[in-house]
Amino acid sequence: MVRRGPPAKGHKARAGKAGGTAARRGAARAPRAAPPAGEAEAPEPAARPKRQPASGKPHRATAKSAAGPKASAKRRAAAREAAPPELPSKAALRAFLAGATGRVRKSEIARAFNLTAEQRPALRALMREIAAEGGAAPAGKRAMIHPSRLPEIAPVEVTGTDPDGDPIARPLQWQGEGRPPVIYMRPEAKGQPALTAGERVLARLRPIGPGKYEGRTFKRIGGAPPARILGVYEEGQIIPTDRRQKGIWQVAPADAGGARPGQIVLAEPLPSTRHFGPKPARITEVLGVMGEPRSVSLVCIHAHGIPDIFPAEAVQQAERARGVSGRGRVDLRDIPLVTIDGEDARDFDDAVFAEPEGEGWRVIVAIADVAHYVTPGSALDREAWARGNSVYFPDRVVPMLPEALSNGWCSLRPGEDRGCLFVEMRFDGQGRKQAHAFGRGIMRSAARLTYEQVQAAADAGKDPAALPAGHVARLYGAFRTLLAARERRGTLDLDVPERKVVLNERGQVEAVVPRPRLDAHRLIEEFMVAANVCAAEELERLRQPCMYRVHDRPSDQKMEGLRQFLATFGISLPPSDRLHPRDFAGVLAKVRGSPQERLVNEAVLRGQSQAAYAPDNIGHFGLALPRYAHFTSPIRRYADLLVHRALIRGLRLGQDGLQETEAARFPDTAEHITSTERRAAAAERDAVDRYLAAFMAQRVGESFEVRISGVTRFGLFVTLEENGASGIVPLGSLPDDRWDLDEATQTLAGRRSRLTFTLGQAVEARLAEATPRTGGMVFHLMQGLAARGRGRAAPRGGRGGRRG
């Protein structure tokens, strides 16, 4: 009789079911064939063990049947005896965050490292420590993200537009290394006003390449108008001098402040409810006339917020300064120390001397005693700290110290007594330092020489009239010994030509030429590096605080981009954990003399971390030195002044040494002077770009040999071979086509035209526009490019780029 209804329950039913299954398996198994003659028969396999879980522990039912009634108690005892897993190290957590594609919740971290619920508070504390150290950034209430990545939703600020007119933004909360990534915002929904410069939105972000994101507006969160506007007043409007700002400001006649067309002005925005068109502003200050001498540096000074007027108290303190006496100082006036600087140098704060000693060399580097005049807490000290460093433009210098000191008592003028701090170093014949000693002295420079004079004297074997015979030869002898030691050490020696702007008497650009790189330059560099190393070593020996000059290894993110770029030339680099500066030297040697030499040098430079100041030492990667500090230029760098004060205190050379209050704020000072140094570098580059644009404005319409130095979704960047001027080739100026961008090979390819433009490729371009006001230049590639053989067949696929 067939039983209907639910299946039988209980152990008998389970046993019957298991038996039936085993019978069916046995019936389905085919008999095994006999082995061929001459072969041993394989042994019969043992009975198949019961299936175990992935953890390797027996199944609960199996454990119960094997262990009997006491299994539960044993399991509880084993659980009590098993120690909880260890918390991950900070390095492991950073690596986990770096490997994640986006934000990571703390619960995901706990699961990844098999942490228990009791360990969650310790994990939260560990994550807070990592976030405080800059190794992670918050992404919501319970999630973290690697600082080099942006979360899925983040606040951004619109900075301008690309050549296609679409907004470009930057993240408001960037904690990663180097420049923040660029965010290309999608056009706003139909009926919504377009995003304008200065506006802030909450955006959904999607990575589209190294340092690049695509953004889509999620919510408008208002905009902080700029605190001030710098631009040129033209026909009732202010046109910004920053090329990234595309907006124009309207000035009512009553708010013009007497400004005339063509003048450089500072203005403040006025309240407005407008969403379209120019926004209102009021002119607060007239700075000068655009196009006049010194107008370019004037724009850069105000654009980057560089202080250029000294407080009256600081000026008065500098003007009261007088020369030092020889009391308590080592007298170096009989030693023919010489200063060697550029022809356009305005201050001379380092002097050098060298002579043979046995098989090695005795070298003295003397530095102006700025600490004698700029005492801690004084008006001069406060202003020097605020400026951080001097800023050098083609037509002027914005000094860290007033002229009475920078060009007076702290300038080592020939034939005049000056106070100094000096280091006397001894090297063997291989360039290895054997000893050094610091002191506070009084010196008298024997000659003020330029690099060109010293190089000419060395080449001719004849010394300048003011020096004893063989003086220059001895300097070069010590230099070659130190250079040989440097080459054995293996340092990063980039050959990126520096541009020199030559101005005529009217302040107009006469030429833009590469700044020469002579052995005389390298001579001073080697002597200064040796003195800086001694300063760091001496402060460590004295157990004094030191403001180190640090240079970290390249980040993994930068190295990945550099590896992809070098792979296009068939060049590889060792893994990051085995990377040494000499590996980069090998890369540069492979491209030396080739058309790609400049491009590879610039790419390697961009791939490096930025040097910085820090009270904690991590070494200097580029120079391959374990310790390094700036000692040789306190007249123009505040960091060097701090090192001087620390040496004075540690060696008991006077009462004007480093104070405890200064030492306590070293971390804040390091961050501040690092930022002022980068501000100065940006302003100097900005000035050169504007002078180049002014120089090239006279040549609009001419064609030039250029090299592609950047490939982006909105066009190409090109660099002129003759003077290093750079500009953009907008996508809209390329032949009518659908252009695909390949991020890996840095290639822009046309689908129909079959033209391909690749990083480093030599092309011919016509200068279409040069704007001195902003420093921007626009080029158009010559028509008939394919017929000239400058394009190559385009590969299929790749990231789609819009046609402009």
Side-chain angles (χ1 to χ4, degrees):
M1 179 178 175
V2 179
R3 181 171 179 170
R4 298 174 182 268
K9 299 180 180 178
H11 67 279
K12 291 184 180 179
R14 285 196 296 271
K17 184 176 180 182
T21 303
R24 285 193 297 273
R25 286 177 181 162
R29 186 179 298 126
R32 188 173 54 183
E39 289 189 15
E41 183 175 349
E44 187 71 17
R48 181 180 297 176
K50 290 190 177 181
R51 187 176 181 181
Q52 302 291 338
S55 64
K57 297 179 182 179
H59 192 274
R60 185 178 297 175
T62 307
K64 283 184 178 180
S65 63
K70 296 182 179 180
S72 297
K74 288 182 179 180
R75 283 198 308 276
R76 286 195 296 270
R80 283 194 300 269
E81 293 173 3
E86 292 184 1
L87 280 173
S89 66
K90 291 182 181 179
L93 279 176
R94 290 192 186 96
F96 181 77
L97 289 173
T101 56
R103 65 176 190 163
V104 179
R105 293 183 177 273
K106 294 187 177 73
S107 57
E108 297 174 36
I109 298 174
R111 283 197 299 271
F113 291 97
N114 297 318
L115 302 182
T116 64
E118 290 77 11
Q119 292 175 300
R120 294 289 179 90
L123 175 63
R124 285 195 291 271
L126 189 61
M127 293 303 297
R128 281 196 296 270
E129 290 180 19
I130 292 176
E133 295 169 1
K141 290 184 178 179
R142 294 182 179 142
M144 307 294 287
I145 196 168
H146 194 266
S148 64
R149 294 188 176 88
L150 295 177
E152 296 170 6
I153 296 183
V156 303
E157 181 179 29
V158 178
T159 58
T161 59
D162 65 16
D164 291 329
D166 292 332
I168 296 177
R170 65 173 181 85
L172 288 175
Q173 301 168 354
W174 172 246
Q175 300 179 10
E177 182 183 294
R179 293 183 178 181
V182 179
I183 301 169
Y184 300 100
M185 297 297 296
R186 301 284 296 176
E188 294 300 283
K190 203 169 184 179
Q192 292 293 324
L195 296 174
T196 58
E199 192 166 359
R200 297 180 178 183
V201 300
L202 203 61
R204 291 187 182 276
L205 304 178
R206 180 176 68 88
I208 57 174
K212 300 174 186 176
Y213 286 80
E214 182 184 69
R216 190 183 297 271
T217 299
F218 177 72
K219 179 183 179 183
R220 294 192 184 228
I221 54 178
R228 63 176 192 169
I229 305 154
L230 177 66
V232 179
Y233 181 60
E234 294 285 359
E235 298 179 355
Q237 294 182 329
I238 299 175
I239 305 171
T241 56
D242 188 342
R243 75 185 79 170
R244 295 169 299 181
Q245 293 183 5
K246 303 297 183 182
I248 294 178
W249 300 83
Q250 190 78 36
V251 179
D255 296 323
R260 296 190 302 274
Q263 289 185 322
I264 306 166
V265 298
L266 280 174
E268 60 183 7
L270 295 175
S272 173
T273 57
R274 288 186 203 168
H275 292 292
F276 301 96
K279 295 182 179 179
R282 178 192 298 120
I283 293 176
T284 58
E285 186 178 354
V286 176
L287 303 176
V289 178
M290 196 68 198
E292 286 188 351
R294 300 166 71 88
S295 63
V296 167
S297 54
L298 188 67
V299 166
C300 296
I301 287 168
H302 286 83
H304 294 273
I306 294 171
D308 64 332
I309 299 176
F310 284 99
E313 188 181 0
V315 174
Q316 292 168 5
Q317 183 182 344
E319 290 176 346
R320 290 194 300 266
R322 293 296 178 265
V324 303
S325 69
R327 186 183 307 166
R329 292 176 178 269
V330 179
D331 195 340
L332 303 176
R333 286 175 287 190
D334 291 336
I335 297 176
L337 289 151
V338 296
T339 63
I340 305 175
D341 297 276
E343 191 174 353
D344 53 353
R346 298 167 176 85
D347 47 52
F348 323 116
D349 59 350
D350 55 80
V352 296
F353 168 81
E355 65 178 0
E357 191 174 70
E359 295 183 356
W361 294 91
R362 174 186 177 224
V363 176
I364 297 177
V365 174
I367 308 298
D369 191 357
V370 177
H372 174 78
Y373 299 100
V374 185
T375 52
S378 64
L380 277 173
D381 183 49
R382 291 193 298 270
E383 187 64 16
W385 184 93
R387 295 181 179 224
N389 44 259
S390 299
V391 188
Y392 294 84
F393 297 108
D395 63 341
R396 74 170 88 186
V397 175
V398 180
M400 186 179 78
L401 300 173
E403 188 175 354
L405 291 180
S406 59
N407 290 357
W409 293 111
C410 293
S411 186
L412 305 180
R413 295 175 178 174
E416 298 182 13
D417 290 356
R418 290 289 186 268
C420 67
L421 258 69
F422 68 91
V423 57
E424 184 176 3
M425 303 171 283
R426 285 177 164 80
F427 300 92
D428 65 14
Q430 302 299 313
R432 294 185 293 260
K433 182 168 65 72
Q434 302 300 301
H436 72 256
F438 282 86
R440 207 169 192 180
I442 184 168
M443 61 159 288
R444 184 182 298 147
S445 173
R448 181 274 201 255
L449 303 176
T450 67
Y451 294 115
E452 292 76 12
Q453 286 175 323
V454 173
Q455 189 66 51
D459 294 341
K462 184 179 179 181
D463 291 278
L467 298 179
H471 189 92
V472 171
R474 288 190 288 272
L475 289 175
Y476 271 77
F479 154 63
R480 292 191 184 95
T481 301
L482 294 180
L483 182 62
R486 176 190 182 118
E487 290 172 347
R488 286 195 302 273
R489 192 169 75 240
T491 62
L492 178 60
D493 193 7
L494 293 168
D495 185 17
V496 179
E498 186 181 351
R499 296 168 295 180
K500 179 181 178 181
V501 177
V502 181
L503 304 177
N504 59 24
E505 295 179 354
R506 298 186 302 277
Q508 298 169 334
V509 184
E510 196 171 79
V512 180
V513 297
R515 195 177 290 273
R517 174 78 166 161
L518 307 173
D519 277 348
H521 292 91
R522 306 187 72 183
L523 182 153
I524 292 299
E525 287 175 9
E526 288 304 319
F527 284 12
M528 298 303 112
V529 166
N532 289 338
V533 170
C534 291
E537 292 177 350
E538 186 73 1
L539 289 178
E540 288 189 3
R541 184 186 73 81
L542 297 169
R543 300 183 182 277
Q544 292 293 318
C546 180
M547 185 61 73
Y548 292 98
R549 179 65 168 177
V550 297
H551 182 220
D552 204 355
R553 305 173 69 85
S555 67
D556 292 340
Q557 183 180 8
K558 286 187 175 181
M559 283 305 302
E560 182 59 31
L562 181 59
R563 288 180 199 280
Q564 291 181 4
F565 169 71
L566 293 177
T568 61
F569 301 105
I571 301 173
S572 61
L573 282 170
S576 296
D577 57 347
R578 291 192 282 113
L579 199 62
H580 190 274
R582 67 170 61 91
D583 298 317
F584 291 110
V587 169
L588 302 179
K590 290 179 180 177
V591 297
R592 190 165 293 127
S594 70
Q596 293 79 27
E597 181 178 6
R598 179 191 291 181
L599 196 63
V600 172
N601 271 269
E602 291 173 350
V604 171
L605 176 63
R606 288 194 300 268
Q608 304 303 309
S609 299
Q610 286 185 288
Y613 294 106
D616 300 317
N617 183 31
I618 61 170
H620 198 292
F621 176 78
L623 293 174
L625 292 169
R627 57 190 60 81
Y628 192 67
H630 273 164
F631 161 77
T632 54
S633 198
I635 200 171
R636 62 184 179 92
R637 292 188 304 229
Y638 194 79
D640 303 52
L641 177 58
L642 293 176
V643 169
H644 277 224
R645 288 176 180 167
L647 288 167
I648 291 169
R649 184 174 83 166
L651 295 168
R652 300 179 181 177
L653 298 176
Q655 300 301 314
D656 45 5
L658 188 72
Q659 295 183 350
E660 286 299 331
T661 52
E662 287 185 286
R665 63 171 188 167
F666 258 33
D668 293 337
T669 298
E671 184 177 343
H672 170 70
I673 60 180
T674 297
S675 67
T676 60
E677 178 189 56
R678 293 177 183 174
R679 176 184 68 184
E684 291 166 358
R685 285 195 306 268
D686 193 7
V688 172
D689 287 345
R690 292 174 194 270
Y691 272 117
L692 269 171
F695 179 64
M696 297 296 292
Q698 309 164 21
R699 307 176 68 181
V700 170
E702 293 185 29
S703 297
F704 301 91
E705 293 295 326
V706 301
R707 194 168 296 277
I708 296 176
S709 54
V711 182
T712 70
R713 61 185 284 274
F714 52 80
L716 307 170
F717 286 98
V718 294
T719 301
L720 270 68
E721 297 284 0
E722 67 178 66
N723 59 21
S726 296
I728 189 171
V729 177
L731 193 69
S733 70
L734 296 179
D736 189 16
D737 204 340
R738 176 74 178 182
W739 295 94
D740 295 327
L741 173 64
D742 189 328
E743 295 274 2
T745 61
Q746 289 289 284
T747 299
L748 195 65
R751 295 186 182 180
R752 294 190 300 273
S753 65
R754 312 297 291 169
L755 287 173
T756 299
F757 302 111
T758 307
L759 195 67
Q761 181 180 348
V763 293
E764 189 176 354
R766 179 176 60 84
L767 179 60
E769 181 183 332
T771 311
R773 173 175 48 81
T774 62
M777 282 182 275
V778 177
F779 291 87
H780 291 167
L781 296 185
M782 299 297 290
Q783 295 298 319
L785 200 59
R788 299 185 184 198
R790 297 184 186 274
R792 299 193 300 271
R796 296 189 179 276
R799 189 184 303 279
R802 291 171 308 187
R803 171 69 180 89

